[in-house]
Short mmCIF file of all heavy atoms in Angstrom, two decimals:
data_model
loop_
_atom_site.label_atom_id
_atom_site.label_comp_id
_atom_site.label_asym_id
_atom_site.label_seq_id
_atom_site.Cartn_x
_atom_site.Cartn_y
_atom_site.Cartn_z
N MET A 241 0.84 -1.17 0.00
CA MET A 241 0.00 0.00 0.00
C MET A 241 0.89 1.25 0.00
O MET A 241 1.65 1.46 0.93
CB MET A 241 -0.87 -0.03 1.26
CG MET A 241 -2.10 0.82 1.16
SD MET A 241 -3.04 0.80 2.70
CE MET A 241 -4.01 -0.65 2.45
N PRO A 242 0.86 2.06 -1.05
CA PRO A 242 1.73 3.24 -1.10
C PRO A 242 1.32 4.29 -0.07
O PRO A 242 0.15 4.52 0.17
CB PRO A 242 1.56 3.77 -2.52
CG PRO A 242 0.29 3.20 -3.02
CD PRO A 242 0.05 1.93 -2.25
N ARG A 243 2.32 4.90 0.51
CA ARG A 243 2.09 5.94 1.52
C ARG A 243 2.15 7.29 0.84
O ARG A 243 3.07 7.56 0.08
CB ARG A 243 3.16 5.83 2.60
CG ARG A 243 3.00 6.83 3.71
CD ARG A 243 4.10 6.61 4.76
NE ARG A 243 3.93 7.56 5.82
CZ ARG A 243 4.54 8.74 5.88
NH1 ARG A 243 5.37 9.08 4.93
NH2 ARG A 243 4.34 9.56 6.88
N THR A 244 1.21 8.13 1.13
CA THR A 244 1.24 9.48 0.56
C THR A 244 2.17 10.35 1.40
O THR A 244 2.28 10.18 2.61
CB THR A 244 -0.17 10.12 0.54
OG1 THR A 244 -0.68 10.15 1.87
CG2 THR A 244 -1.10 9.30 -0.34
N VAL A 245 2.84 11.26 0.74
CA VAL A 245 3.75 12.17 1.43
C VAL A 245 2.94 13.40 1.85
O VAL A 245 2.31 14.06 1.03
CB VAL A 245 4.92 12.58 0.51
CG1 VAL A 245 5.82 13.57 1.21
CG2 VAL A 245 5.69 11.36 0.06
N HIS A 246 2.96 13.67 3.13
CA HIS A 246 2.22 14.81 3.66
C HIS A 246 3.11 16.05 3.68
O HIS A 246 4.34 15.96 3.68
CB HIS A 246 1.73 14.50 5.07
CG HIS A 246 0.80 13.35 5.13
ND1 HIS A 246 -0.49 13.41 4.68
CD2 HIS A 246 0.97 12.08 5.57
CE1 HIS A 246 -1.07 12.24 4.85
NE2 HIS A 246 -0.20 11.40 5.39
N ARG A 247 2.48 17.20 3.71
CA ARG A 247 3.24 18.45 3.75
C ARG A 247 4.14 18.52 4.98
O ARG A 247 5.25 19.03 4.91
CB ARG A 247 2.29 19.64 3.76
CG ARG A 247 1.68 19.92 2.43
CD ARG A 247 0.87 21.18 2.49
NE ARG A 247 0.16 21.35 1.22
CZ ARG A 247 -0.74 22.26 1.00
NH1 ARG A 247 -1.09 23.08 1.97
NH2 ARG A 247 -1.32 22.36 -0.16
N ALA A 248 3.64 18.01 6.10
CA ALA A 248 4.45 18.04 7.33
C ALA A 248 5.73 17.22 7.16
O ALA A 248 6.79 17.62 7.66
CB ALA A 248 3.63 17.51 8.50
N ASP A 249 5.64 16.11 6.44
CA ASP A 249 6.84 15.30 6.19
C ASP A 249 7.85 16.07 5.34
O ASP A 249 9.05 16.03 5.60
CB ASP A 249 6.48 13.99 5.48
CG ASP A 249 5.64 13.07 6.35
OD1 ASP A 249 5.69 13.21 7.59
OD2 ASP A 249 4.92 12.23 5.78
N ILE A 250 7.36 16.77 4.35
CA ILE A 250 8.23 17.54 3.46
C ILE A 250 8.87 18.69 4.23
O ILE A 250 10.08 18.92 4.14
CB ILE A 250 7.45 18.07 2.25
CG1 ILE A 250 6.99 16.89 1.38
CG2 ILE A 250 8.28 19.04 1.43
CD1 ILE A 250 6.03 17.27 0.28
N VAL A 251 8.07 19.39 5.03
CA VAL A 251 8.59 20.51 5.81
C VAL A 251 9.62 20.02 6.82
O VAL A 251 10.68 20.64 6.99
CB VAL A 251 7.44 21.26 6.52
CG1 VAL A 251 7.96 22.26 7.53
CG2 VAL A 251 6.55 21.96 5.50
N LEU A 252 9.35 18.90 7.47
CA LEU A 252 10.29 18.34 8.44
C LEU A 252 11.60 17.94 7.76
O LEU A 252 12.68 18.23 8.27
CB LEU A 252 9.68 17.13 9.14
CG LEU A 252 10.56 16.45 10.18
CD1 LEU A 252 10.86 17.41 11.34
CD2 LEU A 252 9.89 15.19 10.69
N THR A 253 11.51 17.32 6.61
CA THR A 253 12.71 16.92 5.87
C THR A 253 13.54 18.14 5.47
O THR A 253 14.77 18.15 5.64
CB THR A 253 12.33 16.11 4.61
OG1 THR A 253 11.57 14.97 5.02
CG2 THR A 253 13.55 15.68 3.84
N ILE A 254 12.89 19.16 4.97
CA ILE A 254 13.59 20.40 4.59
C ILE A 254 14.25 21.04 5.80
O ILE A 254 15.41 21.47 5.74
CB ILE A 254 12.64 21.38 3.89
CG1 ILE A 254 12.24 20.82 2.52
CG2 ILE A 254 13.26 22.76 3.75
CD1 ILE A 254 11.13 21.59 1.83
N ALA A 255 13.53 21.07 6.93
CA ALA A 255 14.09 21.67 8.15
C ALA A 255 15.32 20.91 8.63
O ALA A 255 16.33 21.53 9.01
CB ALA A 255 13.03 21.71 9.25
N VAL A 256 15.28 19.60 8.59
CA VAL A 256 16.42 18.79 9.04
C VAL A 256 17.61 19.00 8.11
O VAL A 256 18.74 19.17 8.56
CB VAL A 256 16.04 17.30 9.13
CG1 VAL A 256 17.27 16.42 9.30
CG2 VAL A 256 15.05 17.06 10.26
N VAL A 257 17.36 19.02 6.80
CA VAL A 257 18.44 19.22 5.84
C VAL A 257 19.07 20.61 6.02
O VAL A 257 20.30 20.75 6.02
CB VAL A 257 17.93 19.03 4.39
CG1 VAL A 257 18.94 19.52 3.37
CG2 VAL A 257 17.60 17.56 4.14
N LEU A 258 18.25 21.63 6.23
CA LEU A 258 18.79 22.98 6.45
C LEU A 258 19.58 23.06 7.75
O LEU A 258 20.64 23.69 7.81
CB LEU A 258 17.66 24.00 6.46
CG LEU A 258 17.03 24.31 5.11
CD1 LEU A 258 15.83 25.23 5.29
CD2 LEU A 258 18.04 24.92 4.18
N TYR A 259 19.09 22.41 8.79
CA TYR A 259 19.78 22.42 10.09
C TYR A 259 21.14 21.75 9.98
O TYR A 259 22.16 22.31 10.40
CB TYR A 259 18.92 21.72 11.14
CG TYR A 259 19.59 21.63 12.49
CD1 TYR A 259 19.62 22.73 13.34
CD2 TYR A 259 20.21 20.46 12.91
CE1 TYR A 259 20.24 22.66 14.57
CE2 TYR A 259 20.83 20.38 14.14
CZ TYR A 259 20.84 21.48 14.96
OH TYR A 259 21.47 21.41 16.17
N VAL A 260 21.17 20.56 9.42
CA VAL A 260 22.43 19.83 9.29
C VAL A 260 23.38 20.57 8.36
O VAL A 260 24.57 20.71 8.65
CB VAL A 260 22.17 18.38 8.80
CG1 VAL A 260 23.47 17.68 8.46
CG2 VAL A 260 21.40 17.59 9.85
N GLY A 261 22.86 21.08 7.25
CA GLY A 261 23.69 21.82 6.30
C GLY A 261 24.30 23.07 6.91
O GLY A 261 25.49 23.36 6.72
N SER A 262 23.49 23.81 7.68
CA SER A 262 24.02 25.03 8.30
C SER A 262 25.03 24.68 9.38
O SER A 262 26.04 25.38 9.55
CB SER A 262 22.89 25.88 8.88
OG SER A 262 22.24 25.21 9.93
N PHE A 263 24.80 23.59 10.13
CA PHE A 263 25.78 23.18 11.13
C PHE A 263 27.11 22.84 10.48
O PHE A 263 28.17 23.27 10.94
CB PHE A 263 25.27 21.97 11.93
CG PHE A 263 26.30 21.44 12.88
CD1 PHE A 263 26.51 22.06 14.10
CD2 PHE A 263 27.08 20.35 12.54
CE1 PHE A 263 27.48 21.58 14.98
CE2 PHE A 263 28.05 19.87 13.41
CZ PHE A 263 28.25 20.49 14.63
N ILE A 264 27.06 22.09 9.40
CA ILE A 264 28.30 21.70 8.71
C ILE A 264 29.02 22.93 8.18
O ILE A 264 30.23 23.09 8.36
CB ILE A 264 28.00 20.69 7.59
CG1 ILE A 264 27.57 19.35 8.20
CG2 ILE A 264 29.20 20.50 6.68
CD1 ILE A 264 27.02 18.36 7.20
N ALA A 265 28.28 23.82 7.54
CA ALA A 265 28.89 25.03 6.97
C ALA A 265 29.50 25.91 8.06
O ALA A 265 30.65 26.35 7.94
CB ALA A 265 27.86 25.81 6.17
N LEU A 266 28.75 26.15 9.13
CA LEU A 266 29.26 27.03 10.19
C LEU A 266 30.41 26.40 10.96
O LEU A 266 31.35 27.10 11.36
CB LEU A 266 28.12 27.40 11.14
CG LEU A 266 27.07 28.31 10.54
CD1 LEU A 266 25.90 28.48 11.51
CD2 LEU A 266 27.65 29.66 10.17
N SER A 267 30.38 25.08 11.14
CA SER A 267 31.49 24.45 11.85
C SER A 267 32.76 24.49 11.00
O SER A 267 33.86 24.68 11.54
CB SER A 267 31.16 23.02 12.24
OG SER A 267 31.02 22.20 11.11
N ARG A 268 32.63 24.35 9.69
CA ARG A 268 33.81 24.45 8.81
C ARG A 268 34.38 25.86 8.87
O ARG A 268 35.60 26.03 8.90
CB ARG A 268 33.46 24.11 7.36
CG ARG A 268 32.98 22.71 7.11
CD ARG A 268 34.03 21.68 7.40
NE ARG A 268 33.62 20.97 8.60
CZ ARG A 268 34.38 20.23 9.37
NH1 ARG A 268 35.64 20.05 9.11
NH2 ARG A 268 33.92 19.64 10.44
N ILE A 269 33.52 26.87 8.89
CA ILE A 269 33.99 28.25 9.00
C ILE A 269 34.71 28.45 10.33
O ILE A 269 35.78 29.07 10.38
CB ILE A 269 32.81 29.24 8.86
CG1 ILE A 269 32.28 29.21 7.43
CG2 ILE A 269 33.24 30.66 9.26
CD1 ILE A 269 30.97 29.96 7.24
N GLY A 270 34.14 27.92 11.41
CA GLY A 270 34.77 28.04 12.73
C GLY A 270 36.13 27.37 12.78
O GLY A 270 37.08 27.90 13.35
N ILE A 271 36.24 26.21 12.15
CA ILE A 271 37.52 25.50 12.13
C ILE A 271 38.55 26.28 11.33
O ILE A 271 39.71 26.40 11.73
CB ILE A 271 37.33 24.07 11.61
CG1 ILE A 271 36.57 23.24 12.64
CG2 ILE A 271 38.67 23.42 11.26
CD1 ILE A 271 36.14 21.88 12.16
N ARG A 272 38.14 26.84 10.18
CA ARG A 272 39.08 27.65 9.38
C ARG A 272 39.56 28.87 10.16
O ARG A 272 40.74 29.21 10.13
CB ARG A 272 38.43 28.08 8.07
CG ARG A 272 38.52 27.07 6.97
CD ARG A 272 38.23 27.68 5.62
NE ARG A 272 36.98 28.40 5.57
CZ ARG A 272 35.79 27.87 5.21
NH1 ARG A 272 35.72 26.60 4.88
NH2 ARG A 272 34.71 28.60 5.19
N GLU A 273 38.64 29.52 10.87
CA GLU A 273 39.02 30.68 11.67
C GLU A 273 39.97 30.28 12.79
O GLU A 273 40.93 30.98 13.08
CB GLU A 273 37.78 31.36 12.26
CG GLU A 273 36.93 32.10 11.25
CD GLU A 273 37.64 33.31 10.68
OE1 GLU A 273 38.26 34.06 11.44
OE2 GLU A 273 37.57 33.48 9.44
N ALA A 274 39.72 29.14 13.43
CA ALA A 274 40.59 28.68 14.51
C ALA A 274 41.98 28.36 13.97
O ALA A 274 42.99 28.63 14.64
CB ALA A 274 39.99 27.45 15.18
N GLN A 275 42.05 27.80 12.78
CA GLN A 275 43.36 27.47 12.19
C GLN A 275 44.18 28.71 11.89
O GLN A 275 45.40 28.67 11.93
CB GLN A 275 43.17 26.63 10.94
CG GLN A 275 42.73 25.21 11.24
CD GLN A 275 42.39 24.42 9.98
OE1 GLN A 275 42.21 25.00 8.90
NE2 GLN A 275 42.27 23.12 10.13
N LYS A 276 43.51 29.82 11.60
CA LYS A 276 44.25 31.07 11.36
C LYS A 276 45.06 31.48 12.58
O LYS A 276 46.10 32.11 12.47
CB LYS A 276 43.28 32.20 11.02
CG LYS A 276 42.68 32.12 9.65
CD LYS A 276 41.77 33.32 9.42
CE LYS A 276 41.03 33.22 8.11
NZ LYS A 276 40.09 34.35 7.96
N PHE A 277 44.54 31.13 13.78
CA PHE A 277 45.19 31.51 15.02
C PHE A 277 45.91 30.32 15.67
O PHE A 277 46.20 30.34 16.86
CB PHE A 277 44.17 32.08 15.99
CG PHE A 277 43.52 33.34 15.49
CD1 PHE A 277 42.26 33.31 14.92
CD2 PHE A 277 44.20 34.55 15.53
CE1 PHE A 277 41.67 34.45 14.44
CE2 PHE A 277 43.62 35.70 15.05
CZ PHE A 277 42.35 35.66 14.50
N ASN A 278 46.17 29.26 14.87
CA ASN A 278 46.86 28.06 15.35
C ASN A 278 46.17 27.44 16.57
O ASN A 278 46.82 27.01 17.52
CB ASN A 278 48.32 28.35 15.67
CG ASN A 278 49.09 28.72 14.42
OD1 ASN A 278 48.86 28.19 13.35
ND2 ASN A 278 49.99 29.68 14.56
N SER A 279 44.85 27.43 16.55
CA SER A 279 44.07 26.85 17.64
C SER A 279 43.48 25.52 17.18
O SER A 279 43.24 25.30 16.00
CB SER A 279 42.95 27.81 18.03
OG SER A 279 42.16 27.24 19.04
N HIS A 280 43.25 24.61 18.13
CA HIS A 280 42.71 23.30 17.78
C HIS A 280 41.18 23.29 17.80
O HIS A 280 40.57 22.29 17.45
CB HIS A 280 43.22 22.24 18.74
CG HIS A 280 44.70 22.06 18.65
ND1 HIS A 280 45.31 21.48 17.56
CD2 HIS A 280 45.70 22.43 19.49
CE1 HIS A 280 46.61 21.47 17.74
NE2 HIS A 280 46.88 22.05 18.90
N GLY A 281 40.57 24.35 18.25
CA GLY A 281 39.11 24.39 18.33
C GLY A 281 38.61 25.82 18.32
O GLY A 281 39.38 26.76 18.12
N TYR A 282 37.33 25.97 18.53
CA TYR A 282 36.75 27.31 18.53
C TYR A 282 35.66 27.39 19.59
O TYR A 282 35.12 26.38 20.02
CB TYR A 282 36.19 27.68 17.16
CG TYR A 282 35.15 26.70 16.64
CD1 TYR A 282 33.80 26.91 16.86
CD2 TYR A 282 35.52 25.57 15.91
CE1 TYR A 282 32.86 26.03 16.39
CE2 TYR A 282 34.58 24.69 15.44
CZ TYR A 282 33.24 24.92 15.68
OH TYR A 282 32.31 24.04 15.22
N TYR A 283 35.36 28.60 20.01
CA TYR A 283 34.32 28.82 21.01
C TYR A 283 32.98 28.98 20.32
O TYR A 283 32.86 29.67 19.32
CB TYR A 283 34.60 30.10 21.80
CG TYR A 283 35.79 30.02 22.71
CD1 TYR A 283 36.90 30.83 22.51
CD2 TYR A 283 35.80 29.14 23.78
CE1 TYR A 283 37.99 30.76 23.35
CE2 TYR A 283 36.89 29.07 24.63
CZ TYR A 283 37.98 29.89 24.41
OH TYR A 283 39.05 29.81 25.24
N PHE A 284 31.95 28.35 20.89
CA PHE A 284 30.58 28.62 20.44
C PHE A 284 30.15 29.98 20.97
O PHE A 284 29.52 30.76 20.28
CB PHE A 284 29.62 27.55 20.94
CG PHE A 284 29.80 26.23 20.26
CD1 PHE A 284 30.43 25.18 20.90
CD2 PHE A 284 29.35 26.03 18.97
CE1 PHE A 284 30.60 23.97 20.27
CE2 PHE A 284 29.52 24.83 18.32
CZ PHE A 284 30.15 23.79 18.98
N VAL A 285 30.49 30.25 22.22
CA VAL A 285 30.24 31.54 22.86
C VAL A 285 31.54 31.91 23.55
O VAL A 285 32.08 31.13 24.34
CB VAL A 285 29.11 31.43 23.91
CG1 VAL A 285 28.90 32.75 24.61
CG2 VAL A 285 27.82 30.94 23.27
N GLU A 286 32.06 33.09 23.26
CA GLU A 286 33.33 33.48 23.85
C GLU A 286 33.17 33.61 25.37
O GLU A 286 32.32 34.36 25.85
CB GLU A 286 33.79 34.81 23.27
CG GLU A 286 35.20 35.15 23.66
CD GLU A 286 35.71 36.39 22.93
OE1 GLU A 286 35.01 36.90 22.08
OE2 GLU A 286 36.82 36.81 23.25
N PRO A 287 33.97 32.88 26.14
CA PRO A 287 33.79 32.85 27.60
C PRO A 287 34.40 34.08 28.29
O PRO A 287 35.44 33.99 28.94
CB PRO A 287 34.51 31.57 28.01
CG PRO A 287 35.56 31.38 26.97
CD PRO A 287 34.97 31.92 25.69
N THR A 288 33.74 35.21 28.15
CA THR A 288 34.24 36.44 28.76
C THR A 288 33.74 36.62 30.19
O THR A 288 34.21 37.50 30.89
CB THR A 288 33.84 37.66 27.92
OG1 THR A 288 32.42 37.64 27.74
CG2 THR A 288 34.52 37.65 26.57
N SER A 289 32.79 35.80 30.60
CA SER A 289 32.31 35.82 31.98
C SER A 289 31.99 34.39 32.41
O SER A 289 31.98 33.48 31.59
CB SER A 289 31.06 36.71 32.11
OG SER A 289 29.98 36.11 31.43
N THR A 290 31.70 34.21 33.68
CA THR A 290 31.40 32.85 34.15
C THR A 290 30.12 32.32 33.53
O THR A 290 30.05 31.13 33.19
CB THR A 290 31.24 32.81 35.69
OG1 THR A 290 31.25 34.10 36.23
CG2 THR A 290 32.26 31.96 36.34
N THR A 291 29.14 33.16 33.34
CA THR A 291 27.89 32.73 32.73
C THR A 291 28.13 32.30 31.29
O THR A 291 27.65 31.25 30.86
CB THR A 291 26.85 33.87 32.77
OG1 THR A 291 26.70 34.31 34.12
CG2 THR A 291 25.52 33.41 32.24
N ARG A 292 28.86 33.10 30.56
CA ARG A 292 29.14 32.76 29.16
C ARG A 292 30.03 31.52 29.07
O ARG A 292 29.90 30.74 28.14
CB ARG A 292 29.77 33.96 28.45
CG ARG A 292 28.77 35.09 28.26
CD ARG A 292 29.43 36.31 27.64
NE ARG A 292 29.91 36.06 26.30
CZ ARG A 292 29.22 36.29 25.18
NH1 ARG A 292 28.01 36.77 25.26
NH2 ARG A 292 29.76 36.06 24.01
N ASP A 293 30.91 31.33 30.05
CA ASP A 293 31.74 30.12 30.07
C ASP A 293 30.86 28.89 30.25
O ASP A 293 31.06 27.88 29.58
CB ASP A 293 32.78 30.22 31.18
CG ASP A 293 33.76 29.06 31.14
OD1 ASP A 293 34.18 28.68 30.03
OD2 ASP A 293 34.09 28.54 32.22
N ARG A 294 29.87 28.98 31.12
CA ARG A 294 28.95 27.85 31.33
C ARG A 294 28.14 27.57 30.07
O ARG A 294 27.91 26.41 29.71
CB ARG A 294 28.01 28.12 32.51
CG ARG A 294 28.66 27.81 33.83
CD ARG A 294 27.66 27.88 34.97
NE ARG A 294 28.18 28.86 35.91
CZ ARG A 294 27.59 29.96 36.29
NH1 ARG A 294 26.38 30.25 35.88
NH2 ARG A 294 28.16 30.78 37.12
N ILE A 295 27.72 28.62 29.38
CA ILE A 295 26.97 28.44 28.12
C ILE A 295 27.84 27.75 27.09
O ILE A 295 27.41 26.81 26.43
CB ILE A 295 26.48 29.80 27.59
CG1 ILE A 295 25.42 30.39 28.52
CG2 ILE A 295 25.91 29.66 26.19
CD1 ILE A 295 25.05 31.83 28.20
N HIS A 296 29.11 28.17 26.97
CA HIS A 296 30.02 27.56 26.02
C HIS A 296 30.22 26.08 26.32
O HIS A 296 30.16 25.24 25.43
CB HIS A 296 31.37 28.26 26.00
CG HIS A 296 32.44 27.51 25.27
ND1 HIS A 296 32.43 27.36 23.92
CD2 HIS A 296 33.51 26.81 25.73
CE1 HIS A 296 33.45 26.61 23.55
NE2 HIS A 296 34.13 26.27 24.62
N VAL A 297 30.42 25.75 27.58
CA VAL A 297 30.65 24.35 27.98
C VAL A 297 29.41 23.52 27.70
O VAL A 297 29.49 22.40 27.21
CB VAL A 297 31.07 24.26 29.45
CG1 VAL A 297 31.07 22.83 29.94
CG2 VAL A 297 32.44 24.88 29.65
N SER A 298 28.22 24.06 27.95
CA SER A 298 27.00 23.30 27.71
C SER A 298 26.75 23.09 26.23
O SER A 298 26.19 22.07 25.82
CB SER A 298 25.79 23.95 28.37
OG SER A 298 25.54 25.21 27.79
N LEU A 299 27.17 24.05 25.39
CA LEU A 299 27.00 23.86 23.95
C LEU A 299 28.00 22.86 23.44
O LEU A 299 27.75 22.12 22.53
CB LEU A 299 27.18 25.20 23.22
CG LEU A 299 26.08 26.20 23.45
CD1 LEU A 299 26.46 27.53 22.78
CD2 LEU A 299 24.77 25.72 22.88
#
């Protein structure tokens, strides 16, 4: 029995593809920027305070 594709399925698929694609693109940019400064990684949130340090660690 063929299953019909619903709009919600299409929207969900597009959202997942955009999310994964943007993560890959942004992480590659972050890695390139870190390499400019001879760093092995990059900050998601620059830890300029204890609160921001906790946010960075949780991400």
Side-chain angles (χ1 to χ4, degrees):
M241 201 183 274
R243 181 178 181 267
T244 58
V245 178
H246 298 287
R247 284 186 186 171
D249 294 337
I250 294 171
V251 170
L252 180 63
T253 302
I254 291 171
V256 168
V257 167
L258 287 175
Y259 177 79
V260 171
S262 65
F263 175 80
I264 291 170
L266 291 173
S267 67
R268 297 296 110 197
I269 291 170
I271 290 171
R272 275 196 307 269
E273 289 293 316
Q275 288 173 345
K276 286 181 186 176
F277 297 101
N278 295 323
S279 178
H280 296 289
Y282 57 93
Y283 291 116
F284 289 105
V285 178
E286 190 173 355
T288 54
S289 68
T290 8
T291 305
R292 290 176 65 92
D293 186 41
R294 278 188 237 121
I295 292 170
H296 167 70
V297 170
S298 65
L299 290 174

